[in-house]
Amino acid sequence: MGQPAVAGRRPAPTWPLSWPWALAWATVVAGLTLLGRLTAVEPGAPSLVVPSTGFAVLWMLSRDAGWRSPDWGLLLVCLAAVSIVTGLPPAPAAALVAGAMVQVVLSVVLLRRWSPRTWGVAGGDEPVGSVAAMARVVGAVVVGGVVGGAVAALGLAIEGDAPDLVGLGLLLGRGLAGGIFVVPPLLVIGRAVAVRRPRASDEGGRLELVALLVVTALLYLAAFLPEGLPLAFPLLVVTAWAALRFPTAVAAAHGVGAGITVVLVTLADHGPFAGALDPRVGAVLAQLFVCVVIVSGLVLGVGRDERRALLLDVRRAEAAALEQTDLLRTIIDTMHEGVLVVEGDGAVVLRNPAAGSLEPRDESSSVRDAAGRVLSVDQMPYRRALDGEDVRGSYVLRLPADDADVFIEVAATPLPRSAALPPRAVMVVRDVTQQELQRRELTAFAGVVAHDLKNPLAVVDGWIEVLADELEEGGVPPRRTVEQTVDKVRTASGRMQSLIRHLLQHATSRDAALDLEDVDVAVLADEVVAGRDAADRVEVGPAPRVHGDAAMLRQLLENLVGNALKYVVPGEVAHVRVDGEAAGDGMVAVRVTDNGVGIPDEAKDLVFQQFYRAHAGSVYSGTGLGLAICRRIVDRHGGTITVSDNPAGRGTRIEVLLPAAETPGPGATTP
């Protein structure tokens, strides 16, 4: 069985697995082994080069060959057959074939163990993208080559043909070179062909590639054609050029091409490595040079790839960090609560727009706690947080530019400390002035409501008690007593109903959503007058259209017209006029004028307060909520409401400014 794919990874399509391809691999290995045998110094001697071992490693990797796979037997047959055909004696042949088999087996085992995720190995799909990954691949091949060469040398020694020092170097060097020359470069090239990527911006183009090839050819000609010139290792300059300016696959192909050239020229007795007295020494030096060229190119190439990947990761991390920072800044800037970050010296290093001037840390500001005590600097929430305390509390802030109190809730928390930064604290400030004012208003409101409801209930209770006393005496209450009781109870009930109705209107005028539209005030006033059957007492004049909530504006006119009809001088007939005109700045003035009892000057600023009655204790009943409801409706429309005396004589004029209609209509007049 083959080796399983890496857990959690999709097996990558690496090499064809059909048997025809296995036979093709066998043909390639046999041919390369035969070519290697042709490089032997003399019949029966080991080959100077054995590229077939590297291809044999790729063969087993491509076939995902397990230990029971027939591929191993086919490889053994290929190696043995070539040795016999080329006249290699049985004993040396057995030693050399054993060494080659050990090299292939060990290289395959180590590659599968050390680099299971690499493309072409154990179904992996990752490139050799780092120096560490390349070191694992090269290390596996080196260990396999060295051990295989050592096994071959040991076999020859057992057969009585122990190699000398040069021979041992040849056995070790040729195995090492056979693996490095083939396996790492082809794994890199194969991955690049299978998974193409666009050219990076820092990589050379076609013209530069042509220049590289031309310069490489010239330098190698200059180094290997003249005799006695040791110019081989300066050729690493073009290797570095290929690795640093082109994809790693191009550098690998460049190194393989240069290696083939070096070995062939050396075997042809040319170049700096051919000058040795023993041709085996020249072959070993040439192959070691090829190993240096290929490994240098691959290491430089994958090092550049790794650096590029790291830079890309850094850029992505920076972009993600900037995006996260922008997101957090946007969130903080759009918060309704004020957010401040304060350093140890009291300097604000971060402030969102909502914070505005809500900073209970300014020494020129007056900050009081819930008990009304003015805080010192050391008692400020930010200072306590800088000292390591979590602060939660409500405060009253009075700013220098505003005499009004601002009610705030503060949450101050110390931030984690760093040796490189001064102590810092984050402070969240929420303006709760409106909530506090509403709470106080609700408290006062509830007290007045309770008082106003208690009076009619006391009346009802008192008259019912009168009836109960009559019934307890065993008699029938006099008719007049019953009539008085019914009248008083009905009156008290009416007062309670009126109060409850006004309370509902008061709540609706504050909380109900506005349904804005263009409204004809004159038509609305006519409907209100018709509903009260007061056409003989109320005159509706022309008025421009306004933009508002029709239901609330109807309630506004109902209250104003109702008050004008109610507060009349006893014995006189009410005369009320409703009209309006354009007031400029996109507003319309709507006026309700009456000939009633009027409002005293000292009460004109108070009549719009809740439960205030300018004529309390008189014959005029009321809850004191009508004009308060009117003001709330007008406020929600962005207008104003004022009261003044009737310019034509006795009575009152109430003027309301409302937004003009968005589209012109009939009834508009000029001031």
Side-chain angles (χ1 to χ4, degrees), residues 345-410:
D345 58 355
V348 177
V349 297
L350 183 146
R351 177 194 293 109
N352 71 339
S357 58
L358 300 177
E359 301 180 31
R361 62 171 201 86
D362 192 338
E363 296 181 12
S364 62
S365 303
S366 171
V367 183
R368 304 190 303 275
D369 60 14
R373 295 184 295 266
V374 177
L375 303 184
S376 65
V377 174
D378 292 337
Q379 293 173 325
M380 291 289 186
Y382 86 96
R383 175 56 61 188
R384 292 165 58 190
L386 289 173
D387 292 337
E389 181 182 352
D390 279 326
V391 181
R392 301 287 188 277
S394 298
Y395 300 89
V396 181
L397 173 65
R398 175 160 293 190
L399 301 173
D402 191 354
D403 289 336
D405 286 339
V406 179
F407 296 89
I408 56 176
E409 288 182 353
V410 177

Side-chain angles (χ1 to χ4, degrees), residues 96 137 275 367 388 446 551:
L96 295 175
V137 172
V367 183

Side-chain angles (χ1 to χ4, degrees), residues 245-293:
R245 288 291 299 159
F246 294 94
T248 305
V250 172
H254 179 271
V256 170
I260 293 174
T261 302
V262 169
V263 172
L264 292 178
V265 171
T266 300
L267 293 177
D269 203 23
H270 291 287
F273 303 122
L277 297 178
D278 191 335
R280 297 178 300 171
V281 175
V284 171
L285 292 177
Q287 292 182 82
L288 291 178
F289 174 76
V290 170
C291 291
V292 172
V293 169

Side-chain angles (χ1 to χ4, degrees), residues 482-528:
V482 173
E483 290 176 349
Q484 288 179 336
T485 301
V486 171
D487 182 62
K488 296 297 183 180
V489 169
R490 182 180 290 122
T491 301
S493 174
R495 289 174 57 191
M496 286 190 292
Q497 289 180 356
S498 176
L499 178 59
I500 291 172
R501 184 176 67 255
H502 279 86
L503 289 174
L504 290 175
Q505 292 173 358
H506 187 271
T508 302
S509 66
R510 183 187 67 185
D511 300 325
L514 295 178
D515 184 11
L516 299 177
E517 59 181 322
D518 289 345
V519 179
D520 193 321
V521 174
V523 172
L524 202 60
D526 283 333
E527 294 175 356
V528 169

Side-chain angles (χ1 to χ4, degrees), residues 203 243-248 300-308:
E203 292 179 345
L244 297 177
R245 288 291 299 159
F246 294 94
T248 305
L300 289 174
V302 297
R304 186 201 57 178
D305 293 343
E306 186 176 20
R307 181 177 62 87
R308 182 187 295 129

